[in-house]
Amino acid sequence: MGKIQQNSYSLCFLGLFDFRTYFVGFHAYRAKRLNACLLILPHVFSLLPPFALQNGSVRMDSHTFTSAYIYGGVTHIEDPEEINELACILTSFSEKLIDAASAYAQCYSYAHNQLAVLSNCVAPTHIHTYDIKTARLLQDSDQLRTVLTDIADRTRNITDNLERSLDIYSHAEAETSRILQSLVTLAMGISPLPMALALSGWSISQEASSNRGSFQGFLTNNAQAQQSVLQGIGDNVSQGNGIPGAAQALSPVARMARTVYQGKSLEVNPITVHKPLPQSHSLSDSLSNLERLSIGQPGNSYATISIQRYTHSDNTHSWIVTIPGTDGHKDSPFGWAQNINLMASHASTRAQAESQQAVLQAMTQAGIKETDEVALIGHSQGGIVAASIASDKTVPYKISHVVTAGSPVANHPIDTQKTWVTSIETDHELVSNLDGKNNPSHPHWLTIRGKITDSPSAAQSSHVPFSTPKHELSHGMNYHVATYRNALELDSDGLNEHNEHFRKFTEGKMDENLYFTCRIYE
């Protein structure tokens, strides 16, 4: 019996010694590999803006989240390749940290087993010191695993924010997207039915795997495929002229249908609202005002245009014209059929849309002069109207900035030397993809595209207020405002310049706050 007990002591001691050797050896090995990375980590963090180390505005009870990606605009980087290399280093570093955390987790598990063996042994007194030291090592390994995992998560967030804010991979992504879109568009032209069935099957499988699946989700769960399919349909209808050509061909029919259904007498009249929109001090404020106008918060009815005048210290004026989206009312110039004219290839055809005519009449009644700088901001059809006015060389106004939210405006020939464009889109809204292509990438044309997800991603995600339990079209202003505010956290040079350009319109005092209701009568 004594011999068996002695053998048990030996086994327990050997097991403990084996664990300590493994743990210390591993720790020394990892230290060599991590020391260099850990030494540069504080310097890496110090070079990046504070947002990279902060938690995003994430509410865990939310149904939907958005992460903004910025395309176009300017980037004040002397050596983009150096930033690209840094992003690669950070990605590799985070992977090494995850490996180290996993190894420490294995140490923790191994130590647990060894201590379980020791607890069943009646060990001599001198073994107890090893037991205490082992317990401390066990605790240290678990804490270190937690720390390493946290640092890895932060490092991944930094890398993702670099990519999103500086548009590091935009050119490669755009080229890949262009190739895929070309292939899908070609397939739609050759065999539209099999291609449509294949894409439908893929969308159905995506929605079936989600507990938030819905018909709207089925329609919207692949933005690039949506653009390619629509472009293919446009090419088939217009003999290769895409969406603008198809809209141009359909415009006479749409106009005739509007005349029969709605009438052709447009009236634009000034009105008084119960709660006027507040003065804007930034692009963010104007987006909030657009959201308020769209839901009738000022006490306005549908098809109401807001026009604010700002007088500067030198007595010059600037104007912000806020334009609502499609409402579908029979007597509204912002109906469904007007969208077809607004998407047409010819400026004269786009000008036939009653919604564009209504905005121009409201601007005339407001007293905007040809020399006054004007910013147009619109949601959905309102954004298309803004882009159409800005691209029409016969319009007698100085359109200096256009802001669109959920509007398909990629095909509008806006002169970006004269007009800045800030577009906000989301990948599950369908509407902004109706132009069949991505927006131009230019220092003066910046696109913020929100990636909509069911849960917060590794990147800083923003909660989308008032989202529904099931997948829905991410076309509401709540999605666009949340996406824009998420983009602000990236501290992008391009977005900062667009914000500053728009802010100049709001300098001084707002001394006019006008509203115009628009109706079509038979």
Side-chain angles (χ1 to χ4, degrees):
M1 194 69 174
K3 191 173 183 180
I4 294 176
Q5 189 177 27
Q6 185 178 3
N7 289 339
S8 297
Y9 294 155
S10 300
L11 288 171
C12 291
F13 183 80
L14 287 172
L16 176 61
F17 178 78
D18 180 53
F19 159 69
R20 287 176 57 79
T21 302
Y22 174 79
F23 186 89
V24 173
F26 165 78
H27 187 76
Y29 170 69
R30 283 296 180 191
K32 290 179 181 178
R33 294 186 61 185
L34 292 177
N35 270 347
C37 292
L38 290 174
L39 285 173
I40 68 166
L41 188 61
H43 302 286
V44 172
F45 286 171
S46 68
L47 292 173
L48 297 170
F51 72 84
L53 299 179
Q54 297 172 355
N55 291 326
S57 54
V58 174
R59 280 179 43 181
M60 296 308 293
D61 60 340
S62 172
H63 297 297
T64 309
F65 298 82
T66 180
S67 298
Y69 290 78
I70 296 175
Y71 302 90
V74 297
T75 302
H76 298 299
I77 299 176
E78 294 182 0
D79 188 358
E81 288 302 320
E82 185 177 352
I83 299 297
N84 193 5
E85 184 179 352
L86 176 60
C88 294
I89 291 172
L90 289 172
T91 300
S92 176
F93 179 46
S94 66
E95 292 172 355
K96 286 182 172 63
L97 288 171
I98 289 296
D99 291 342
S102 175
Y104 275 110
Q106 293 175 13
C107 286
Y108 180 87
S109 175
Y110 185 75
H112 244 323
N113 294 336
Q114 294 300 313
L115 288 177
V117 174
L118 285 175
S119 65
N120 294 325
C121 298
V122 182
T125 305
H126 69 277
I127 297 291
H128 292 171
T129 58
Y130 289 101
D131 190 7
I132 294 171
K133 291 178 181 179
T134 302
R136 288 176 181 171
L137 285 171
L138 179 62
Q139 183 180 4
D140 289 346
S141 70
D142 188 45
Q143 290 177 351
L144 190 54
R145 175 191 61 80
T146 302
V147 169
L148 290 174
T149 302
D150 181 63
I151 295 175
D153 289 340
R154 289 174 181 267
T155 305
R156 280 199 302 265
N157 282 342
I158 292 172
T159 306
D160 187 80
N161 286 331
L162 279 173
E163 293 173 2
R164 293 197 292 138
S165 63
L166 302 180
D167 200 8
I168 291 175
Y169 300 123
S170 62
H171 299 296
E173 180 184 344
E175 182 63 18
T176 302
S177 173
R178 186 190 65 79
I179 294 172
L180 289 175
Q181 286 184 337
S182 298
L183 291 174
V184 174
T185 302
L186 179 63
M188 285 295 297
I190 298 173
S191 304
L193 184 58
M195 191 62 190
L197 291 174
L199 291 173
S200 297
W202 184 88
S203 294
I204 289 172
S205 67
Q206 291 291 307
E207 283 302 291
S209 63
S210 171
N211 57 7
R212 296 184 61 199
S214 68
F215 179 71
Q216 291 179 336
F218 156 72
L219 291 175
T220 62
N221 60 19
N222 191 306
Q224 297 301 331
Q226 292 167 21
Q227 289 184 339
S228 303
V229 169
L230 290 167
Q231 183 68 18
I233 293 173
D235 285 340
N236 286 333
V237 172
S238 64
Q239 298 181 344
N241 293 317
I243 300 295
Q248 183 69 37
L250 295 172
S251 288
V253 178
R255 188 179 184 188
M256 185 181 300
R258 294 199 305 272
T259 301
V260 173
Y261 177 68
Q262 293 184 290
K264 55 182 180 180
S265 178
L266 174 65
E267 289 189 9
V268 178
N269 297 306
I271 61 169
T272 301
V273 297
H274 302 301
K275 190 177 180 182
L277 297 175
Q279 177 173 348
S280 173
H281 299 283
S282 63
L283 178 51
S284 180
D285 289 345
S286 290
L287 281 171
S288 296
N289 281 345
L290 176 59
E291 184 174 23
R292 294 187 185 102
L293 184 75
S294 299
I295 62 177
Q297 201 174 82
N300 61 290
S301 61
Y302 58 90
T304 297
I305 299 166
S306 163
I307 300 182
Q308 296 178 331
R309 186 179 78 171
Y310 294 80
T311 299
H312 307 289
S313 58
D314 59 357
N315 289 325
T316 59
H317 303 297
S318 60
W319 303 76
I320 297 179
V321 181
T322 306
I323 312 168
T326 303
D327 55 58
H329 288 274
K330 182 179 179 180
D331 60 346
S332 170
F334 292 88
W336 299 103
Q338 280 79 5
N339 288 293
I340 296 176
N341 275 82
L342 291 169
M343 298 286 287
S345 56
H346 297 164
S348 58
T349 304
R350 297 195 295 270
Q352 294 172 2
E354 290 82 0
S355 50
Q356 179 167 325
Q357 296 171 17
V359 172
L360 291 173
Q361 286 190 32
M363 292 172 66
T364 300
Q365 292 185 38
I368 300 177
K369 297 179 181 178
E370 293 184 11
T371 55
D372 293 343
E373 289 199 273
V374 180
L376 305 176
I377 176 170
H379 172 242
S380 193
Q381 183 178 161
I384 311 176
V385 170
S388 181
I389 291 175
S391 60
D392 189 344
K393 296 180 180 179
T394 65
V395 168
Y397 296 110
K398 187 179 180 181
I399 310 302
S400 300
H401 203 128
V402 166
V403 180
T404 68
S407 307
V409 295
N411 295 305
H412 288 74
I414 300 174
D415 184 355
T416 51
Q417 298 302 319
K418 298 178 180 179
T419 305
W420 290 48
V421 184
T422 309
S423 297
I424 307 168
E425 304 176 351
T426 65
D427 61 355
H428 286 182
E429 68 179 330
L430 182 62
V431 177
S432 63
N433 294 318
L434 292 175
D435 46 19
K437 60 192 261 188
N438 294 327
N439 291 335
S441 181
H442 186 275
H444 292 170
W445 191 324
L446 179 142
T447 300
I448 303 168
R449 193 161 187 86
K451 182 178 180 181
I452 306 301
T453 56
D454 294 344
S455 59
S457 62
Q460 286 184 316
S461 301
S462 291
H463 159 249
V464 179
F466 310 113
S467 55
T468 62
K470 292 291 185 181
H471 287 157
E472 60 181 342
L473 294 179
S474 56
H475 186 56
M477 277 300 300
N478 55 325
Y479 283 90
H480 299 115
V481 171
T483 297
Y484 173 77
R485 289 177 178 167
N486 183 261
L488 289 179
E489 297 178 12
L490 298 175
D491 196 26
S492 159
D493 290 337
L495 182 54
N496 289 340
E497 288 209 359
H498 276 245
N499 287 337
E500 178 59 22
H501 186 266
F502 189 90
R503 187 194 62 79
K504 292 178 180 179
F505 290 87
T506 67
E507 290 179 341
K509 179 183 178 182
M510 182 184 72
D511 52 11
E512 293 280 2
N513 200 357
L514 309 173
Y515 298 84
F516 299 87
T517 185
C518 313
R519 297 291 184 266
I520 297 179
Y521 299 103
E522 297 180 2

